[in-house]
Amino acid sequence: MTKKIFWSILLVAGIVLIASFVTIMDSLYRYFSSLQLAQMESQLNFAVQGVELSGISYLEGLDGENYRLTLIQSDGTVLYDNMADVSTLENHSDREEIREAMETGEGESSRYSGVLTEETLYLAKRLSDSSVLRIAVSHASVFSIAAGMFYPFIIVFLLTVVLAVVLAVKLSKSIVKPLNELSFENPLENDVYDEFIPMLRHMDFQNKKIKEQMISLKNSSNEFLAITENMSEGLVLLNEKGVIISINSSAEKLFTADKSCIGKDFLTIERNPEVTKTLAKSTRDGYSETKISIKGRDYLFRASRIENGEDFVGSVLLLIDITDKNRAETLRREFTANVSHELKTPLQSIIGSAELMENGMVKPDDIPRFVGHIRAEASRLLSLINDIIKLSQLDEERSLPEEIVDIFVSAEDVREILNHSAKKRNIEFLLSGEHIKIRGVRQLIFEIIYNLCDNAIKYNKENGKVELRVYSDLNNAIISVSDTGIGIPPEDIDRVFERFYRVDKSHSKETGGTGLGLSIVKHSVGYLNGQINIESKPGEGTVVTVVFPLDKKDFS
Ligand code: ADP
């Protein structure tokens, strides 16, 4: 800016300086020239009169040092010259002023010296004898005057440059100062040149627009964050160079990273070659997925290419936990295989016995035994189907009718039913406790107590003992079933709740269990928001405890 102002000032000053110099020089030169001409004319007139009266002797008597007077004969021969020896002078008939004077009576001309430093003015007048008297004065030419003015001009010019610099610096400072003090936050509050007002108004409008856009951008970004941060799936956004631009909490946990990974290459948090391959494939084909294992869980890793028009601008990575789905799938497959097997065994036994009787291969005395066998297998089949139905109902997670249930009463019902089978094996079946009411599903509470007591009798020893207790603490209702039976080996404890899992597979037929009892118990306890715990010592016995939270408001 300072530079621009400086050059503008210098240019204007230079032009003005030169123009005034030329104009002044021209006017002065003209003025002095005309003055000199007038003087020369009057001097010549005097001289003409003198020569007319007294002849050449008049000229010789003159003391004309300031002027050069020359008398030229009509043929051009110089008769007299007060400043030169006439014998050295050549014929003057070709001189412009002489020729003019001879023709018209008066002549005038001017001539420059060889180097243009001097100009000589000539005035000539024809005398009565046709000779011509010429007066000449030399003075400095306009060029030499101009050359003489060169140094003063340079000084003035240098002064102008200095002045231009000072002025430019001062001017630019005074122009820039209010601009530097401009507040861009509130443009309309600035007190600055009027010329700036439209620009400031425009700026104010733009500011408001930017603010609005920023707010809406921030809202969208907050919305995006709120949604992605609460996602159970891991989400990572990468730019076109594979650099992380956003990562949600789930993905951070998965990759054991934090928000500081933003701005770094995705490879810094995950180096699994399968992931890298999938990512590369998605940038090429648009989409790719693979299954990976992180920290013992299974994930579906999905990568999608993001495009802006034709351009590739980044990738979206989604990690979905499929561990439960995989497990459920495996369980379902195992369950179907187990159900088929468990159904097939009693059916084959029934068909085998029936065929033997049909073909008359069974002695009449043995027929009741065979029929009894068929009935036992059929009842096993029925209880198996019943248990499968119960489990599938629980799996469906349908809501069942709830009511206030007295657990002790349910325990009494169970004892009533199972007392007979306990007695058959000489097992003491004791019930103790208090009447505790909870809100729940009567049928499920009955199933829980029944299955636990049934197992406690089934897996007991002759003359053993089963103790069923119903009691409560401050917050919970507790059912405990303890037996003095065979117990469960520690390695099997966690697996007894699995469907069709039996500790002793070879004796399952004798005990008559379906392998689904504890699965039904676990599901039912879960449905009623309870907790189940099993403790056992092989050879000594087992204690199963079920705890239900007491909801005080139900009984207030
Ligand atoms: P089952 O119908 O075979 O009894 P459960 O699901 O009720 O099936 O039990 C699974 C397995 O857990 C049983 O086969 C048995 O081996 C073991 N079990 C359950 N309860 C007891 C217990 N009280 N004492 C010893 N073993 C038990």
Side-chain angles (χ1 to χ4, degrees), residues 387 451-460 481-483 485-489 492 495-505 508 511-521 534 536 541-544:
D387 279 356
N451 278 309
L452 293 178
C453 292
D454 187 37
N455 282 351
I457 295 165
K458 269 194 306 191
Y459 302 107
N460 217 318
V481 181
S482 59
D483 65 62
I486 56 171
I488 304 165
D492 292 302
R495 300 202 61 190
V496 291
F497 294 106
E498 288 176 19
R499 294 172 187 195
F500 296 111
Y501 189 83
R502 295 180 186 100
V503 175
D504 185 355
K505 280 133 198 118
S508 63
T511 53
T514 59
L516 295 174
L518 283 183
S519 297
I520 294 170
V521 169
I534 185 161
S536 186
T542 305
V543 182
V544 184

Side-chain angles (χ1 to χ4, degrees), residues 137-150:
V137 173
S138 288
H139 61 188
S141 73
V142 71
F143 303 107
S144 100
I145 296 167
M149 292 287 282
F150 180 73

Side-chain angles (χ1 to χ4, degrees), residues 187-188 199-209:
L188 293 183
M199 189 195 85
L200 292 174
R201 276 204 195 115
H202 188 69
M203 206 181 264
D204 185 59
F205 174 72
Q206 291 287 348
N207 272 4
K208 280 178 186 152
K209 219 167 155 186

